[in-house]
Coordinates of all heavy atoms in Angstrom, one line a residue:
V1 N -20.7 5.8 30.9 CA -21.1 4.4 30.6 C -20.8 4.1 29.1 O -20.7 5.1 28.3 CB -22.6 4.2 30.8 CG1 -23.0 4.3 32.3 CG2 -23.5 5.1 30.0
P2 N -20.6 2.9 28.7 CA -20.3 2.6 27.3 C -21.3 3.1 26.4 O -22.5 2.9 26.6 CB -20.2 1.0 27.3 CG -19.9 0.7 28.7 CD -20.6 1.7 29.6
R3 N -20.8 3.7 25.3 CA -21.7 4.2 24.2 C -21.3 3.9 22.8 O -22.0 4.0 21.9 CB -21.8 5.7 24.3 CG -22.6 6.3 25.5 CD -22.9 7.7 25.3 NE -23.5 8.3 26.5 CZ -22.9 9.1 27.3 NH1 -21.7 9.5 27.1 NH2 -23.5 9.5 28.4
G4 N -20.0 3.5 22.7 CA -19.5 3.2 21.4 C -19.1 1.8 21.2 O -19.4 0.9 22.0
R5 N -18.4 1.5 20.1 CA -17.9 0.1 19.8 C -16.8 -0.2 20.8 O -15.8 0.5 20.8 CB -17.4 0.1 18.4 CG -16.8 -1.2 17.9 CD -16.3 -1.2 16.6 NE -17.4 -1.2 15.6 CZ -17.3 -1.3 14.3 NH1 -16.1 -1.2 13.8 NH2 -18.4 -1.4 13.6
L6 N -16.9 -1.3 21.5 CA -15.9 -1.7 22.5 C -14.9 -2.6 22.0 O -13.9 -2.9 22.7 CB -16.6 -2.3 23.7 CG -17.6 -1.3 24.5 CD1 -18.2 -2.1 25.7 CD2 -16.9 -0.1 24.9
F7 N -15.1 -3.2 20.8 CA -14.1 -4.1 20.2 C -14.3 -4.1 18.7 O -15.3 -3.7 18.2 CB -14.2 -5.5 20.7 CG -15.6 -6.2 20.4 CD1 -15.6 -7.1 19.3 CD2 -16.7 -6.0 21.2 CE1 -16.8 -7.7 19.0 CE2 -17.9 -6.7 20.9 CZ -18.0 -7.5 19.8
A8 N -13.2 -4.4 18.0 CA -13.2 -4.4 16.5 C -12.2 -5.5 16.1 O -11.1 -5.7 16.7 CB -12.8 -3.1 16.0
F9 N -12.5 -6.2 15.0 CA -11.6 -7.2 14.5 C -10.7 -6.8 13.4 O -11.0 -5.8 12.7 CB -12.5 -8.4 14.0 CG -13.3 -9.1 15.0 CD1 -14.7 -8.8 15.1 CD2 -12.7 -9.9 15.9 CE1 -15.4 -9.5 16.1 CE2 -13.4 -10.6 16.9 CZ -14.8 -10.3 17.0
D10 N -9.6 -7.5 13.2 CA -8.8 -7.3 12.0 C -9.5 -7.9 10.8 O -10.6 -8.5 10.9 CB -7.4 -8.0 12.2 CG -7.4 -9.5 12.2 OD1 -8.3 -10.1 12.8 OD2 -6.5 -10.1 11.6
S11 N -8.9 -7.8 9.6 CA -9.6 -8.2 8.4 C -9.9 -9.7 8.3 O -10.8 -10.1 7.6 CB -8.8 -7.8 7.2 OG -7.6 -8.4 7.1
E12 N -9.1 -10.5 9.0 CA -9.3 -12.0 8.9 C -9.9 -12.6 10.2 O -10.1 -13.8 10.3 CB -8.0 -12.6 8.6 CG -7.5 -12.2 7.2 CD -6.1 -12.8 6.9 OE1 -5.5 -13.4 7.8 OE2 -5.7 -12.6 5.8
G13 N -10.2 -11.7 11.2 CA -10.9 -12.2 12.4 C -10.0 -13.0 13.3 O -10.5 -13.7 14.2
H14 N -8.6 -12.8 13.2 CA -7.7 -13.5 14.1 C -7.4 -12.7 15.3 O -6.9 -13.2 16.4 CB -6.5 -13.9 13.4 CG -6.7 -14.8 12.3 ND1 -7.3 -16.0 12.4 CD2 -6.4 -14.7 10.9 CE1 -7.3 -16.6 11.2 NE2 -6.8 -15.8 10.3
Y15 N -7.5 -11.4 15.3 CA -7.2 -10.4 16.3 C -8.3 -9.5 16.6 O -9.2 -9.2 15.8 CB -5.9 -9.6 15.9 CG -4.7 -10.5 15.8 CD1 -4.4 -11.0 14.5 CD2 -3.9 -10.7 16.8 CE1 -3.3 -11.8 14.3 CE2 -2.7 -11.6 16.6 CZ -2.5 -12.1 15.4 OH -1.4 -12.9 15.2
V16 N -8.4 -9.1 17.9 CA -9.5 -8.1 18.3 C -8.8 -7.0 19.1 O -7.9 -7.2 19.9 CB -10.6 -8.8 19.1 CG1 -10.0 -9.5 20.4 CG2 -11.8 -8.0 19.4
L17 N -9.3 -5.8 18.8 CA -8.8 -4.6 19.5 C -9.9 -4.2 20.5 O -11.1 -4.2 20.2 CB -8.7 -3.4 18.4 CG -8.4 -2.0 19.0 CD1 -7.0 -2.0 19.7 CD2 -8.4 -1.0 17.8
T18 N -9.4 -3.9 21.7 CA -10.3 -3.6 22.8 C -9.9 -2.3 23.5 O -8.8 -1.8 23.3 CB -10.4 -4.7 23.9 OG1 -9.1 -4.8 24.5 CG2 -10.9 -6.0 23.3
C19 N -10.7 -1.7 24.3 CA -10.4 -0.5 25.0 C -9.6 -0.8 26.3 O -9.5 -2.0 26.7 CB -11.7 0.2 25.5 SG -12.9 0.6 24.2
S20 N -8.9 0.2 26.8 CA -8.2 0.1 28.1 C -8.0 1.4 28.7 O -8.4 2.4 28.0 CB -6.8 -0.6 27.9 OG -5.8 0.3 27.5
S21 N -7.5 1.6 29.9 CA -7.4 2.8 30.6 C -6.4 3.8 29.9 O -6.5 5.0 30.2 CB -7.0 2.6 32.0 OG -5.8 1.9 32.1
S22 N -5.5 3.3 29.1 CA -4.5 4.2 28.5 C -4.3 4.0 27.0 O -3.3 4.6 26.5 CB -3.1 4.0 29.2 OG -2.7 2.7 29.1
G23 N -5.1 3.3 26.4 CA -5.0 3.0 25.0 C -5.8 1.9 24.5 O -6.7 1.4 25.2
G24 N -5.5 1.3 23.4 CA -6.1 0.1 22.9 C -5.2 -1.1 23.1 O -4.0 -1.0 23.3
I25 N -5.8 -2.3 23.2 CA -5.0 -3.5 23.3 C -5.5 -4.5 22.3 O -6.7 -4.7 22.1 CB -5.2 -4.2 24.7 CG1 -4.8 -3.2 25.8 CG2 -4.5 -5.5 24.8 CD1 -5.0 -3.8 27.2
I26 N -4.5 -5.0 21.5 CA -4.8 -6.0 20.5 C -4.6 -7.4 21.1 O -3.6 -7.7 21.7 CB -3.9 -5.8 19.2 CG1 -4.2 -4.5 18.6 CG2 -4.1 -7.0 18.3 CD1 -3.4 -4.2 17.4
H27 N -5.6 -8.2 21.0 CA -5.6 -9.6 21.5 C -5.6 -10.6 20.4 O -6.3 -10.3 19.4 CB -6.8 -9.9 22.4 CG -6.9 -8.9 23.5 ND1 -6.4 -9.1 24.8 CD2 -7.6 -7.7 23.6 CE1 -6.8 -8.1 25.6 NE2 -7.5 -7.2 24.8
K28 N -5.0 -11.7 20.5 CA -5.1 -12.8 19.6 C -6.3 -13.7 20.1 O -6.5 -13.9 21.2 CB -3.9 -13.7 19.6 CG -4.0 -14.8 18.6 CD -2.6 -15.5 18.4 CE -2.6 -16.6 17.5 NZ -3.0 -16.3 16.1
L29 N -7.2 -14.0 19.2 CA -8.4 -14.8 19.5 C -7.9 -16.3 19.6 O -7.4 -16.8 18.6 CB -9.5 -14.7 18.5 CG -10.3 -13.4 18.5 CD1 -11.2 -13.4 17.3 CD2 -11.0 -13.3 19.8
T30 N -8.1 -16.9 20.7 CA -7.7 -18.3 20.9 C -9.0 -19.0 21.5 O -9.1 -19.2 22.7 CB -6.5 -18.5 21.8 OG1 -6.8 -17.8 23.1 CG2 -5.3 -17.9 21.2
N31 N -9.9 -19.3 20.6 CA -11.2 -19.9 21.1 C -11.0 -21.2 21.8 O -11.8 -21.6 22.7 CB -12.1 -20.1 19.9 CG -12.6 -18.8 19.4 OD1 -12.6 -17.8 20.1 ND2 -13.1 -18.7 18.1
S32 N -10.0 -22.0 21.4 CA -9.8 -23.3 22.0 C -9.6 -23.2 23.5 O -10.0 -24.0 24.3 CB -8.7 -24.1 21.4 OG -7.5 -23.4 21.4
E33 N -8.8 -22.1 23.9 CA -8.5 -21.9 25.3 C -9.5 -20.9 26.0 O -9.5 -20.7 27.1 CB -7.1 -21.3 25.4 CG -6.1 -22.2 24.9 CD -4.7 -21.5 24.7 OE1 -4.5 -20.5 25.4 OE2 -3.9 -21.9 23.9
Q34 N -10.4 -20.4 25.2 CA -11.4 -19.4 25.6 C -10.8 -18.3 26.4 O -11.4 -17.9 27.5 CB -12.5 -20.2 26.4 CG -13.2 -21.2 25.6 CD -14.4 -21.8 26.3 OE1 -14.8 -21.4 27.4 NE2 -15.1 -22.7 25.6
I35 N -9.8 -17.7 25.8 CA -9.1 -16.5 26.4 C -8.8 -15.5 25.3 O -8.7 -15.9 24.2 CB -7.9 -16.9 27.3 CG1 -6.8 -17.5 26.4 CG2 -8.2 -17.7 28.5 CD1 -5.4 -17.6 27.0
L36 N -8.6 -14.3 25.7 CA -8.1 -13.3 24.8 C -6.6 -13.1 25.2 O -6.3 -12.7 26.4 CB -8.8 -12.0 24.9 CG -10.2 -12.0 24.3 CD1 -10.9 -10.6 24.6 CD2 -10.2 -12.3 22.8
E37 N -5.7 -13.4 24.3 CA -4.3 -13.3 24.6 C -3.8 -11.9 24.2 O -3.7 -11.7 23.0 CB -3.5 -14.4 23.9 CG -2.0 -14.4 24.1 CD -1.4 -15.5 23.2 OE1 -2.0 -16.6 23.1 OE2 -0.3 -15.2 22.7
P38 N -3.4 -11.0 25.2 CA -2.9 -9.7 24.8 C -1.6 -9.9 23.9 O -0.7 -10.6 24.3 CB -2.6 -9.0 26.1 CG -3.3 -9.8 27.1 CD -3.4 -11.2 26.6
C39 N -1.5 -9.2 22.8 CA -0.4 -9.2 21.9 C 0.4 -7.9 21.8 O 1.6 -7.8 21.7 CB -0.8 -9.6 20.5 SG -1.5 -11.2 20.3
L40 N -0.4 -6.8 21.7 CA 0.2 -5.5 21.5 C -0.6 -4.4 22.2 O -1.9 -4.4 22.1 CB 0.2 -5.2 20.0 CG 0.9 -3.9 19.5 CD1 2.4 -3.9 19.9 CD2 0.7 -3.8 18.0
S41 N 0.1 -3.5 22.9 CA -0.6 -2.4 23.5 C -0.4 -1.2 22.7 O 0.7 -0.8 22.3 CB 0.0 -2.2 24.9 OG -0.7 -1.1 25.6

């Protein structure tokens, strides 16, 4: 079960790093569309 930090932001809060089954995924925060847009695996 989750025990650690599941997400972390870049220094300016524009991108968020999340967990995945084979690594981390960096997403662009797009609040207007209310989605996380994957940018880099």
